[in-house]
């Protein structure tokens, strides 16, 4: 029987690259999509099964997990990848948007873990490796202005990862955070479809810079395939690092995290003025 991995959000970006990578390496992949049956290349692969669910819909997640159970598959890994990125000033972001940020990135992740864990326990009890990989972000290490709500959700993902790992270690299930810096995916463009926070307001001068700032982040980002390989290692290495930062010049972020907050304030203000993130 092939080892199976469940990945949430395989329609594009890191989730899609990870699904392709794991299929190529011989895993069976269950990938969640919200519309249709998912990307053509995946749909045509005999070892791929699309599960149609939104991570905010508990019943639909449950039906997806039941499909894995009905297939008699051995679930050895869960990659919590689905996420959205809401930007804009905290003062003006709409209630609907800041709630959606947490509903998808945080509560959705908890719901998928709760539903998938019985299958992971079963795999572990049968003597197989069982892992959860949560896709965090450098924004879960440091908070840039105007991506504050997103950052708050990713700090929560780091806390969930550490706490869940400590709860599950007695059962032999490891929980790992893979936290990328900027990656070439459409996530920020999708987030910019929200408008309320960007309407004419007292932050407008700074917000005009935010477009180029996030576009530059996407342009300078690493390829999603690089993140996919790190996820593969997190799922399979004998003793994986429980918190991996995947980022060009990641040492800057690690060092910056140790500096006084006032120094970080100056760093981010200067970077925003220069349309750069890190
Ligand atoms: N790109 C970066 O620079 C970056 C950096 C650090 C961390 N990350 C993290 O990496 C993960 C993947 O993002 P990405 O950059 O690959 O962006 P992406 O291409 O936009 O992929 C996000 C995936 O999540 C899915 N998704 C969104 N809302 C969902 C919901 N409510 N229920 C189920 N699925 C949902 C999307 O599906 P739809 O197509 O249906 O919306 C899509 O498949 C996210 O957790 C993100 O925070 C990204």
């Amino acid at each position: 029987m092939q080892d199976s991995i469940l990945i949430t959000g395989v329609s594009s970006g890191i989730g899609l690259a990870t699904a392709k990578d794991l299929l190529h390496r011989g895993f069976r992949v269950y990938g969640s999509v919200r519309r249709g049956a998912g990307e053509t290349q995946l749909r045509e692969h005999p070892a791929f099964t699309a599960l149609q669910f939104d991570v905010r819909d508990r019943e639909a997640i449950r039906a997806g997990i039941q499909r894995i159970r009905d297939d008699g598959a051995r679930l050895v890994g869960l990659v919590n990848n689905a996420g959205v990125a809401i930007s804009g000033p905290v003062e003006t972001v709409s209630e609907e948007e800041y709630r959606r940020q947490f509903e998808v990135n945080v509560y959705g992740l908890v719901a998928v873990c709760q539903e998938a864990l019985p299958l992971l326990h079963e795999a572990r009890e049968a003597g197989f490796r069982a892992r959860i990989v949560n896709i965090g972000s450098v924004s879960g290490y440091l908070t840039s202005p105007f991506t504050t709500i997103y950052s708050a959700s990713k700090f929560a993902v780091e806390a969930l990862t550490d706490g869940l790992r400590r709860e599950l270690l007695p059962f032999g299930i490891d929980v790992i955070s893979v936290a990328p810096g900027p990656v070439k995916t459409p996530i920020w463009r999708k987030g910019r479809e929200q408008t309320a926070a960007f309407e004419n307001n007292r932050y407008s001068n700074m917000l005009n810079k935010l477009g180029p700032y996030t576009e530059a982040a996407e342009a300078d980002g690493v390829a999603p395939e690089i993140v996919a390989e790190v996820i593969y290692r997190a799922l399979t290495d004998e003793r994986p690092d429980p918190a991996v930062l995947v980022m060009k010049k990641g040492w800057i972020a690690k060092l910056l995290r140790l500096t006084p907050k006032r120094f970080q304030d100056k760093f981010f203000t200067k970077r925003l003025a220069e349309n750069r993130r890190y």
Side-chain angles (χ1 to χ4, degrees), residues 77-240:
L78 162 64
V79 181
N80 282 305
N81 165 75
V84 290
I86 305 296
S87 51
V90 174
E91 188 176 345
T92 60
V93 71
S94 73
E95 180 170 354
E96 187 190 340
E97 291 298 296
Y98 69 68
R99 287 191 185 281
R100 184 163 70 94
Q101 183 66 89
F102 272 73
E103 272 156 18
V104 177
N105 292 17
V106 183
Y107 309 138
L109 179 149
V110 174
V112 175
C113 284
Q114 288 185 339
E115 296 302 329
L117 265 167
L119 281 174
L120 291 169
H121 278 294
E122 283 170 32
R124 188 68 199 118
E125 283 154 18
F128 298 94
R129 185 177 278 150
R131 303 242 169 108
I132 296 176
V133 176
N134 292 329
I135 308 306
S137 168
V138 66
S139 301
Y141 287 41
L142 288 159
T143 308
S144 310
F146 307 127
T147 52
T148 310
I149 303 286
Y150 174 69
S151 211
S153 77
K154 290 299 185 180
F155 268 78
V157 168
E158 291 304 316
L160 280 164
T161 303
D162 287 343
L164 198 53
R165 185 175 59 255
R166 288 158 199 166
E167 292 174 17
L168 292 172
L169 276 178
F171 301 99
I173 298 175
D174 209 355
V175 186
I176 293 153
S177 152
V178 169
V183 186
K184 287 185 204 299
T185 77
I187 194 165
W188 291 105
R189 253 178 292 133
K190 288 188 196 172
R192 284 298 293 268
E193 283 157 18
Q194 37 139 172
T195 51
F198 291 89
E199 275 157 17
N200 212 12
N201 59 42
R202 53 164 55 92
Y203 298 91
S204 291
N205 275 347
M206 287 180 278
L207 291 181
N208 288 338
K209 294 184 189 292
L210 187 65
Y213 183 69
T214 48
E215 280 153 29
E218 185 183 329
D220 294 345
V222 302
E225 290 71 23
I226 305 247
V227 185
E229 188 172 348
V230 175
I231 294 170
Y232 163 70
R233 290 208 309 270
L235 288 166
T236 56
D237 275 1
E238 202 56 51
R239 280 188 63 79

Side-chain angles (χ1 to χ4, degrees), residues 9 11-12 14 34-35 54-55 81 136 150 154 181 183 185 190:
S11 69
S12 60
I14 296 167
R34 291 195 297 164
R35 289 172 291 271
D54 188 303
V55 296
N81 165 75
Y150 174 69
K154 290 299 185 180
V183 186
T185 77
K190 288 188 196 172

